[in-house]
Amino acid sequence: MAEKEMILVLDFGGQYNQLIARRVRELSVYSEVRPYTMPIEEIKALNPTGIILTGGPDVVFEDGAPRCSAELFNLGIPVLGICYGAQLMQYLLGGDVRRAEVREYGHTEVDIDNPSSPLLLNVPHRTVCWMSHGVYIAKPAPGFEITAHTESCPFAAAEDNSRKLYCVQFHPEVSHTVNGKEMLVNFVLGICGCRGTWKMDSFVDTTVKALKEKIGSGRILCALSGGVDSSVAAVMLSKAVGKQLTCVFVDHGLLRKNEGDLVEKVFGKDGPYDLNFIRVNAQERFYFKLAGVTEPEQKRHIIGEEFIRVFEEEAKKIGTVDFLVQGTIYPDVIESGLGKSAVIKSHHNVGGLPDYVDFKEIVEPLRLLFKDEVRKAGLELGIPSELVFRQPFPGPGLAIRIIGEITPEKVRIVQDADAIFREEMDNFGYNKEANQYFAALSNMRSVGCMGDERTYDYAVVLRAVTTTDFMTAESAELPWELLSKVTNRIVNEVKGVNRVMYDLTGKPPATIELE
Ligand code: XMP
């Protein structure tokens, strides 16, 4: 065993890679994500206690697919291959990997064939796992025994116990794999023999210290949206450098109803924090730039760019500004396609940055954290829990909850419908049952009748999801009574709407936001 326990996660570009490392850290074992290109000599020198090969979007037998050295499997170090990682291990060791006729996505029932497999100990004979693959293993490599299957996939898990090599076609790291945690415990603490004695230094303390050193006597500008991410980043920065920090809150006119005033109340001069706070009312400027734009990524880029321009202007008014803070968190980074992951959405505060930014550097203190870790940091910083557990709200705001062109009328409809939905979620006591919920506006207009008159109005879409990490999600099961009440209120109280729909789709295949 390595002197210092550590699990090396080799990154092949999957959506959940940092999540794997984080799941291992939750078992009190240190874990790092490194690119798949890490040379074998370096891996040997690092001498990890175990290695996990991640998922990824490529097809292992195609030209240019990312591969590691097959020597990895002869080091005597236990290896767990997940999804693409499993296919790669099989491919490199002589298994038969093929394109599947039936693609498996989402919830899938798995039957365990060998309950005494060290990886599958304490897992029931039938369990549910999260699949996301279009390639399968038709025949395992020599020495491997199949240990689990699904209805359409003969190979859901396999192992060569003598060489301590394990493969799973599904994703044990996502919370929707019901017994995923048991499998990771079995691999990390059982097969690799880690003791689980590692402790994460207080993230807040170390970050505040590092920020203090980095910023020195520089001036720093923070993009404050009032959401949990930028609020935690701002309070962290104010702890590190006090009044060297100026927080700029841009009201782009795409916020939820009354939200701008609320943010000002909390962070402005009458609030509990000792911040320099500036509110910029920039609605018209944003609406002007967005006029006629319908493509979601273009909306994100326009908003991202306009944000930066507004900050630059504010910075100029303040004088010299050296740094810009952003509350980017890990899922924003990964979904924006940094590293090898496929681009799903370029979150405006990452992929949308223009090439030229008039600051010395961008500081992103939360870049490695997941949402729930950000909340923990927020509580540690003494931020009130109402704010810490507030609904997440995307940077581009209602722009990505309005399908098609953005007009002031559509913004008004979404704001009013959303306020009704949120109010009734509170009234029915369901505000904690869903992790994110909102109203969006479809671009569909349809015929209805109201007071004997024909209407031709918009359809509002209600969306409520349960999720722990926002990387996968399920539609929340809301009571019919609640949905009916919200529907009645919206069609009666919000002018321009004659139909309300509830979105039942999970993520994947959909995403949480509609754009
Ligand atoms: P999706 O729609 O990608 O959303 O399933 C996952 C989480 O990210 C939020 N989201 C964004 N946040 N800029 C942001 O700051 C964006 O462009 C953006 N798009 C989605 C979304 O609200 C959810 O919490």
Side-chain angles (χ1 to χ4, degrees):
M1 192 192 297
E3 223 173 74
K4 266 171 132 190
E5 294 176 351
M6 91 89 104
I7 300 291
L8 172 67
V9 177
L10 277 192
D11 181 354
F12 289 91
Q15 296 295 317
Y16 311 121
N17 298 351
Q18 191 66 31
L19 190 57
I20 300 173
R22 178 237 163 108
R23 292 279 179 252
V24 175
R25 293 196 292 261
E26 281 171 356
L27 305 177
S28 302
V29 175
Y30 183 63
S31 179
E32 262 181 42
V33 181
R34 299 282 193 94
Y36 74 91
T37 46
M38 184 177 184
I40 189 79
E41 295 311 321
E42 265 182 49
I43 296 177
K44 281 190 206 164
L46 189 68
N47 192 21
T49 327
I51 298 172
I52 298 179
L53 311 180
T54 75
D58 294 273
V59 175
V60 73
F61 47 79
E62 286 183 354
D63 283 352
R67 295 185 193 137
C68 58
S69 160
E71 211 188 318
L72 193 79
F73 307 112
N74 298 329
L75 301 177
I77 298 173
V79 184
L80 170 65
I82 294 176
C83 196
Y84 179 86
Q87 294 152 12
L88 179 68
M89 188 193 299
Q90 291 299 315
Y91 178 79
L92 292 176
L93 294 175
D96 184 7
V97 184
R98 296 187 188 182
R99 230 175 244 288
E101 273 168 34
V102 185
R103 294 156 79 91
E104 281 185 311
Y105 281 105
H107 278 238
T108 311
E109 288 198 332
V110 181
D111 289 312
I112 306 299
D113 300 315
N114 180 359
S116 53
S117 149
L119 189 72
L120 302 173
L121 292 179
N122 304 318
V123 174
H125 287 278
R126 174 164 276 204
T127 182
V128 170
C129 66
W130 191 261
M131 287 280 195
S132 183
H133 70 114
V135 165
Y136 79 114
I137 295 147
K139 191 162 162 260
F144 277 82
E145 172 206 348
I146 291 180
T147 51
H149 69 275
T150 70
E151 204 185 320
S152 55
C153 176
F155 180 125
E159 65 193 34
D160 180 345
N161 223 346
S162 61
R163 287 191 285 170
K164 292 203 186 302
L165 303 178
Y166 304 84
C167 292
V168 284
Q169 183 58 77
F170 49 84
H171 289 271
E173 69 278 20
V174 304
S175 55
H176 296 290
T177 293
V178 177
N179 297 103
K181 182 166 180 193
E182 281 82 359
M183 297 174 203
L184 290 174
V185 165
N186 287 338
F187 180 70
V188 174
L189 304 182
I191 294 162
C192 298
C194 293
R195 285 157 301 162
T197 47
W198 179 79
K199 294 225 172 352
M200 201 196 291
D201 286 337
S202 158
F203 175 81
V204 170
D205 288 350
T206 15
T207 312
V208 166
K209 211 167 135 229
L211 287 170
K212 217 181 248 177
E213 269 171 35
K214 183 177 188 136
I215 293 157
S217 59
R219 301 216 52 171
I220 179 156
L221 188 64
C222 176
L224 184 65
S225 72
V228 57
D229 304 340
S230 64
S231 302
V232 170
V235 175
M236 211 176 243
L237 256 305
S238 85
K239 282 225 150 104
V241 295
K243 292 250 171 169
Q244 280 161 254
L245 169 71
T246 300
C247 289
V248 174
F249 165 56
V250 177
D251 186 343
H252 50 24
L254 297 159
L255 297 169
R256 287 171 289 200
K257 199 171 180 175
N258 301 329
E259 193 159 47
D261 297 341
L262 185 74
V263 172
E264 186 166 356
K265 203 166 138 207
V266 175
F267 289 99
K269 59 180 179 351
D270 300 326
Y273 304 110
D274 191 22
L275 305 170
N276 291 316
F277 177 83
I278 297 171
R279 176 175 178 172
V280 188
N281 290 316
Q283 291 90 323
E284 282 176 16
R285 198 171 152 165
F286 278 87
Y287 287 176
F288 178 75
K289 286 268 160 145
L290 288 165
V293 178
T294 56
E295 211 280 313
E297 286 302 279
Q298 208 185 336
K299 288 182 186 174
R300 280 192 171 80
H301 279 80
I302 289 172
I303 294 172
E305 173 135 8
E306 203 58 14
F307 248 96
I308 297 290
R309 296 284 92 86
V310 175
F311 288 132
E312 281 175 345
E313 289 171 20
E314 289 308 314
K316 280 202 188 98
K317 287 185 208 156
I318 297 162
T320 325
V321 169
D322 307 287
F323 299 94
L324 175 70
V325 190
Q326 291 208 336
T328 322
I329 67 168
Y330 190 74
D332 303 339
V333 176
I334 196 78
E335 296 213 342
S336 293
L338 303 188
K340 249 211 75 54
S341 301
V343 176
I344 294 176
K345 297 179 184 187
S346 66
H347 287 198
H348 85 86
N349 42 0
V350 188
L353 282 182
D355 296 338
Y356 175 73
V357 180
D358 199 7
F359 303 96
K360 194 166 115 193
E361 209 176 322
I362 296 210
V363 181
E364 296 175 310
L366 311 176
R367 206 177 160 82
L368 287 180
L369 298 191
F370 286 84
K371 200 77 171 189
D372 53 331
E373 293 177 309
V374 174
R375 293 206 164 100
K376 273 190 207 142
L379 291 177
E380 212 173 301
L381 282 161
I383 300 177
S385 61
E386 307 90 85
L387 207 109
V388 165
F389 291 102
R390 204 157 153 214
Q391 281 275 301
F393 188 65
L398 301 179
I400 56 167
R401 292 182 180 172
I402 293 171
I403 310 287
E405 187 182 1
I406 293 155
T407 64
E409 191 211 0
K410 285 182 175 177
V411 173
R412 191 240 339 135
I413 291 176
V414 179
Q415 282 179 334
D416 289 348
D418 184 68
I420 291 171
F421 188 26
R422 282 190 288 137
E423 196 181 310
E424 293 302 335
M425 287 290 275
D426 286 348
N427 291 343
F428 277 75
Y430 266 76
N431 49 4
K432 295 221 162 54
E433 302 294 316
N435 304 96
Q436 191 169 10
Y437 53 90
F438 53 86
L441 189 61
S442 79
N443 209 17
M444 182 188 101
R445 293 175 81 190
S446 65
V447 175
C449 57
M450 266 178 146
D452 292 335
E453 278 193 27
R454 179 188 187 273
T455 56
Y456 188 61
D457 283 335
Y458 285 111
V460 160
V461 177
L462 302 177
R463 181 96 168 119
V465 296
T466 53
T467 173
T468 48
D469 48 30
F470 296 83
M471 312 273 277
T472 61
E474 280 179 286
S475 179
E477 253 185 77
L478 300 183
W480 200 249
E481 213 189 332
L482 161 60
L483 291 171
S484 308
K485 175 90 185 272
V486 175
T487 302
N488 271 331
R489 281 196 59 194
I490 291 177
V491 289
N492 282 307
E493 296 173 33
V494 185
K495 198 167 159 282
V497 180
N498 66 357
R499 222 172 264 271
V500 177
M501 307 184 186
Y502 186 57
D503 185 349
L504 288 173
T505 331
K507 171 185 178 179
T511 54
I512 295 174
E513 301 290 347
L514 270 66
E515 285 200 337

mmCIF file of all heavy atoms in Angstrom, residues 187-202:
data_model
loop_
_atom_site.group_PDB
_atom_site.id
_atom_site.type_symbol
_atom_site.label_atom_id
_atom_site.label_comp_id
_atom_site.label_asym_id
_atom_site.label_seq_id
_atom_site.Cartn_x
_atom_site.Cartn_y
_atom_site.Cartn_z
ATOM 1 N N PHE A 187 -14.842 -0.599 -3.188
ATOM 2 C CA PHE A 187 -13.597 -0.454 -3.955
ATOM 3 C C PHE A 187 -12.523 0.258 -3.122
ATOM 4 O O PHE A 187 -11.408 -0.248 -2.963
ATOM 5 C CB PHE A 187 -13.843 0.317 -5.257
ATOM 6 C CG PHE A 187 -12.596 0.482 -6.083
ATOM 7 C CD1 PHE A 187 -12.008 -0.608 -6.717
ATOM 8 C CD2 PHE A 187 -11.967 1.722 -6.200
ATOM 9 C CE1 PHE A 187 -10.831 -0.478 -7.451
ATOM 10 C CE2 PHE A 187 -10.784 1.866 -6.935
ATOM 11 C CZ PHE A 187 -10.220 0.759 -7.562
ATOM 12 N N VAL A 188 -12.889 1.409 -2.567
ATOM 13 C CA VAL A 188 -11.879 2.267 -1.928
ATOM 14 C C VAL A 188 -11.415 1.687 -0.590
ATOM 15 O O VAL A 188 -10.210 1.563 -0.321
ATOM 16 C CB VAL A 188 -12.447 3.698 -1.737
ATOM 17 C CG1 VAL A 188 -11.492 4.578 -0.956
ATOM 18 C CG2 VAL A 188 -12.730 4.319 -3.098
ATOM 19 N N LEU A 189 -12.390 1.341 0.272
ATOM 20 C CA LEU A 189 -12.012 0.880 1.613
ATOM 21 C C LEU A 189 -11.760 -0.628 1.638
ATOM 22 O O LEU A 189 -10.921 -1.106 2.395
ATOM 23 C CB LEU A 189 -13.106 1.242 2.632
ATOM 24 C CG LEU A 189 -13.486 2.731 2.720
ATOM 25 C CD1 LEU A 189 -14.524 2.966 3.796
ATOM 26 C CD2 LEU A 189 -12.264 3.616 2.986
ATOM 27 N N GLY A 190 -12.506 -1.375 0.792
ATOM 28 C CA GLY A 190 -12.343 -2.827 0.782
ATOM 29 C C GLY A 190 -11.187 -3.248 -0.112
ATOM 30 O O GLY A 190 -10.095 -3.594 0.375
ATOM 31 N N ILE A 191 -11.386 -3.177 -1.410
ATOM 32 C CA ILE A 191 -10.404 -3.707 -2.375
ATOM 33 C C ILE A 191 -9.064 -2.967 -2.270
ATOM 34 O O ILE A 191 -8.002 -3.579 -2.225
ATOM 35 C CB ILE A 191 -10.992 -3.601 -3.803
ATOM 36 C CG1 ILE A 191 -12.194 -4.533 -3.912
ATOM 37 C CG2 ILE A 191 -9.941 -3.909 -4.853
ATOM 38 C CD1 ILE A 191 -13.136 -4.253 -5.072
ATOM 39 N N CYS A 192 -9.099 -1.627 -2.217
ATOM 40 C CA CYS A 192 -7.832 -0.873 -2.145
ATOM 41 C C CYS A 192 -7.277 -0.858 -0.710
ATOM 42 O O CYS A 192 -6.103 -0.554 -0.518
ATOM 43 C CB CYS A 192 -8.032 0.573 -2.609
ATOM 44 S SG CYS A 192 -8.568 0.702 -4.313
ATOM 45 N N GLY A 193 -8.118 -1.143 0.254
ATOM 46 C CA GLY A 193 -7.649 -1.225 1.646
ATOM 47 C C GLY A 193 -7.353 0.125 2.281
ATOM 48 O O GLY A 193 -6.566 0.212 3.237
ATOM 49 N N CYS A 194 -7.962 1.207 1.779
ATOM 50 C CA CYS A 194 -7.723 2.510 2.403
ATOM 51 C C CYS A 194 -8.379 2.542 3.784
ATOM 52 O O CYS A 194 -9.419 1.919 4.006
ATOM 53 C CB CYS A 194 -8.335 3.619 1.543
ATOM 54 S SG CYS A 194 -7.516 3.816 -0.039
ATOM 55 N N ARG A 195 -7.757 3.309 4.697
ATOM 56 C CA ARG A 195 -8.304 3.356 6.054
ATOM 57 C C ARG A 195 -9.299 4.492 6.242
ATOM 58 O O ARG A 195 -10.056 4.518 7.188
ATOM 59 C CB ARG A 195 -7.164 3.496 7.074
ATOM 60 C CG ARG A 195 -6.391 2.190 7.266
ATOM 61 C CD ARG A 195 -5.016 2.456 7.785
ATOM 62 N NE ARG A 195 -4.301 3.326 6.829
ATOM 63 C CZ ARG A 195 -3.225 4.024 7.113
ATOM 64 N NH1 ARG A 195 -2.716 3.978 8.320
ATOM 65 N NH2 ARG A 195 -2.637 4.777 6.194
ATOM 66 N N GLY A 196 -9.252 5.490 5.357
ATOM 67 C CA GLY A 196 -10.205 6.594 5.480
ATOM 68 C C GLY A 196 -9.874 7.507 6.637
ATOM 69 O O GLY A 196 -10.736 7.814 7.462
ATOM 70 N N THR A 197 -8.641 7.967 6.688
ATOM 71 C CA THR A 197 -8.238 8.827 7.812
ATOM 72 C C THR A 197 -7.975 10.267 7.356
ATOM 73 O O THR A 197 -7.631 11.117 8.167
ATOM 74 C CB THR A 197 -6.935 8.286 8.456
ATOM 75 O OG1 THR A 197 -6.019 8.007 7.405
ATOM 76 C CG2 THR A 197 -7.207 7.016 9.234
ATOM 77 N N TRP A 198 -8.129 10.531 6.074
ATOM 78 C CA TRP A 198 -7.818 11.859 5.547
ATOM 79 C C TRP A 198 -8.914 12.864 5.919
ATOM 80 O O TRP A 198 -10.089 12.534 5.941
ATOM 81 C CB TRP A 198 -7.686 11.768 4.026
ATOM 82 C CG TRP A 198 -7.402 13.074 3.372
ATOM 83 C CD1 TRP A 198 -6.206 13.708 3.298
ATOM 84 C CD2 TRP A 198 -8.344 13.902 2.689
ATOM 85 N NE1 TRP A 198 -6.335 14.878 2.618
ATOM 86 C CE2 TRP A 198 -7.643 15.032 2.239
ATOM 87 C CE3 TRP A 198 -9.706 13.808 2.433
ATOM 88 C CZ2 TRP A 198 -8.260 16.054 1.529
ATOM 89 C CZ3 TRP A 198 -10.327 14.820 1.731
ATOM 90 C CH2 TRP A 198 -9.603 15.926 1.287
ATOM 91 N N LYS A 199 -8.502 14.098 6.242
ATOM 92 C CA LYS A 199 -9.503 15.131 6.558
ATOM 93 C C LYS A 199 -9.247 16.355 5.683
ATOM 94 O O LYS A 199 -8.112 16.801 5.548
ATOM 95 C CB LYS A 199 -9.387 15.559 8.021
ATOM 96 C CG LYS A 199 -9.748 14.484 9.005
ATOM 97 C CD LYS A 199 -10.641 15.037 10.101
ATOM 98 C CE LYS A 199 -11.210 13.983 11.014
ATOM 99 N NZ LYS A 199 -10.999 12.598 10.670
ATOM 100 N N MET A 200 -10.325 16.897 5.127
ATOM 101 C CA MET A 200 -10.144 18.097 4.315
ATOM 102 C C MET A 200 -9.940 19.291 5.239
ATOM 103 O O MET A 200 -10.713 19.486 6.165
ATOM 104 C CB MET A 200 -11.384 18.344 3.458
ATOM 105 C CG MET A 200 -11.076 19.221 2.263
ATOM 106 S SD MET A 200 -12.555 19.922 1.500
ATOM 107 C CE MET A 200 -13.305 18.489 0.796
ATOM 108 N N ASP A 201 -8.885 20.041 4.981
ATOM 109 C CA ASP A 201 -8.701 21.266 5.769
ATOM 110 C C ASP A 201 -9.918 22.129 5.563
ATOM 111 O O ASP A 201 -10.536 22.074 4.517
ATOM 112 C CB ASP A 201 -7.488 22.065 5.259
ATOM 113 C CG ASP A 201 -6.204 21.425 5.641
ATOM 114 O OD1 ASP A 201 -6.195 20.651 6.623
ATOM 115 O OD2 ASP A 201 -5.211 21.674 4.944
ATOM 116 N N SER A 202 -10.237 22.944 6.498
ATOM 117 C CA SER A 202 -11.408 23.795 6.303
ATOM 118 C C SER A 202 -11.209 24.585 5.009
ATOM 119 O O SER A 202 -10.278 25.380 4.879
ATOM 120 C CB SER A 202 -11.572 24.746 7.468
ATOM 121 O OG SER A 202 -12.348 25.839 7.039
#
